[in-house]
Amino acid sequence: MKKIAIQGIRGSFHDIAAHLYFEGEDVELLCCNTFEELFHAMRAENSLLGLAAIENTIAGSLLHNYELLRESGMTIIGEQKLHIEHSLLCLPDDDWDTLTEVNSHPVALMQCRHFLEGHRSLKVVETEDTAGAAADIAHRALRGHAAICHAGAATLYGLRILQEAIEDNKHNFTRFLVLSDPWNADNLRDTRLSDKASIVFSLPHNSGSLSQVLSIFSFYQINLTKIQSLPIIGHEWEYLFYVDVTYDDYVRYRQSIDAVRPLTRELRILGEYKQAE
């Protein structure tokens, strides 16, 4: 059985993504309130795996999670992409004319902005988790409250689905990273079969330093699928670059890393893994 730390509770999108990635396997979830708690749990228990959202096609990157990942020292061993569909859930006795408040995670609320604009009489309140908002309404019998979350939470918590598919954009996907302690990572993946890698590096504050790195990746036919920069605290106008690359030749990819490394101040491979479909 695999034990996996997620942010959120049963019925959350992290729960759904974890079971999709480990489909057919016995899974035990360790539910964490925050991503900080998730990484702390992984450091405390070496065999514990983790699953954490890293970007959404609408909301963009979860910038803080990049920093948490780098600081934790954990290794990416896989990824899972999940189609995000939001529903409005309430107590069985509630209806549109009794609702006064909507509760959900701020990202979910943002993804349903147009729906909420059409119901301006409802007070919007942020919570730590989508499914957690549903569970709270059920456990505390909060009349007049509704939660925005996955429709599956209705069955779990005995709630009523008032409306499905309320997200603004129907092409709404979140990418999750599957994480492991680096000492266990090689037992869970074969890097020679990988076709994607996530790396982070810093550069000297010289003109053209980034373009030189990108030119080398291009020379080795390494495809950059994402580049994200974050400022280095305490070093004005200096940045860490988080880069995702894909490749069809592992040896050529490693040659590109060897060629790039001398041009960087520091380079670290966060993970080599199979990209999600």
Side-chain angles (χ1 to χ4, degrees):
M1 176 180 288
K2 288 185 170 64
K3 188 175 180 181
I4 307 162
I6 64 168
Q7 188 275 321
I9 63 173
R10 289 178 63 226
S12 67
F13 291 108
H14 278 79
D15 173 12
I16 297 167
H19 280 90
L20 280 175
Y21 185 84
F22 294 103
E23 188 173 7
E25 300 186 53
D26 290 332
V27 169
E28 177 187 352
L29 295 181
L30 175 64
C31 298
C32 304
N33 292 324
T34 64
F35 289 110
E36 286 85 355
E37 185 179 325
L38 183 155
F39 283 102
H40 177 76
M42 291 190 69
R43 285 192 294 267
E45 187 175 342
N46 292 342
S47 62
L48 185 65
L49 302 179
L51 185 135
I54 197 66
E55 65 174 320
N56 175 265
T57 52
I58 298 174
S61 298
L62 281 73
L63 300 181
H64 187 47
N65 283 3
Y66 279 100
E67 289 295 280
L68 290 174
L69 171 60
R70 182 180 61 83
E71 293 170 357
S72 72
M74 297 301 162
T75 296
I76 305 168
I77 61 170
E79 67 176 6
Q80 178 67 46
K81 295 175 182 176
L82 181 66
H83 185 207
I84 304 299
E85 297 176 290
H86 293 299
S87 295
L88 189 73
L89 277 57
C90 64
L91 292 172
D93 294 336
D94 267 326
D95 209 330
W96 288 109
D97 58 353
T98 61
L99 291 186
T100 60
E101 185 172 307
V102 176
N103 311 140
S104 194
H105 188 277
V107 173
L109 294 171
M110 184 191 71
Q111 292 171 353
C112 301
R113 182 170 54 86
H114 293 158
F115 170 82
L116 293 172
E117 286 177 352
H119 297 83
R120 291 182 177 272
S121 63
L122 299 178
K123 179 182 178 182
V124 177
V125 177
E126 296 181 357
T127 63
E128 289 185 340
D129 180 50
T130 53
D136 191 48
I137 290 171
H139 295 156
R140 296 171 59 194
L142 295 175
R143 290 296 306 273
H145 289 233
I148 290 178
C149 59
H150 189 271
T155 302
L156 285 173
Y157 302 112
L159 297 177
R160 174 187 179 189
I161 301 175
L162 272 184
Q163 188 170 331
E164 295 186 87
I166 63 172
E167 66 278 1
D168 297 343
N169 192 314
K170 306 310 175 186
H171 300 280
N172 183 7
F173 291 84
T174 294
R175 184 166 73 102
F176 300 83
L177 299 178
V178 184
L179 309 169
S180 167
D181 182 283
W183 295 104
N184 294 328
D186 289 340
N187 297 323
L188 300 167
R189 54 153 192 190
D190 185 346
T191 55
R192 294 169 299 178
L193 301 178
S194 67
D195 58 7
K196 186 172 185 177
S198 297
I199 63 178
V200 58
F201 57 83
S202 59
L203 295 170
H205 195 41
N206 299 330
S207 176
S209 58
L210 179 59
S211 63
Q212 289 179 330
V213 169
L214 299 183
S215 295
I216 289 176
F217 280 132
S218 177
F219 174 79
Y220 282 93
Q221 298 179 323
I222 305 301
N223 183 35
L224 271 71
T225 60
K226 182 173 184 180
I227 182 166
Q228 178 75 57
S229 64
L230 290 177
I232 301 175
I233 305 302
H235 296 265
E236 293 80 5
W237 319 123
E238 295 186 25
Y239 299 87
L240 287 169
F241 295 92
Y242 293 84
V243 175
D244 289 343
V245 300
T246 59
Y247 44 87
D248 53 19
D249 186 319
Y250 183 74
V251 173
R252 189 170 65 229
Y253 148 72
R254 290 303 304 226
Q255 289 172 339
S256 74
I257 294 296
D258 291 339
V260 161
R261 196 180 295 275
L263 300 177
T264 68
R265 284 183 173 172
E266 180 183 1
L267 183 148
R268 181 175 146 213
I269 298 173
L270 296 172
E272 299 165 345
Y273 49 95
K274 292 288 291 183
Q275 60 183 316
E277 296 294 334

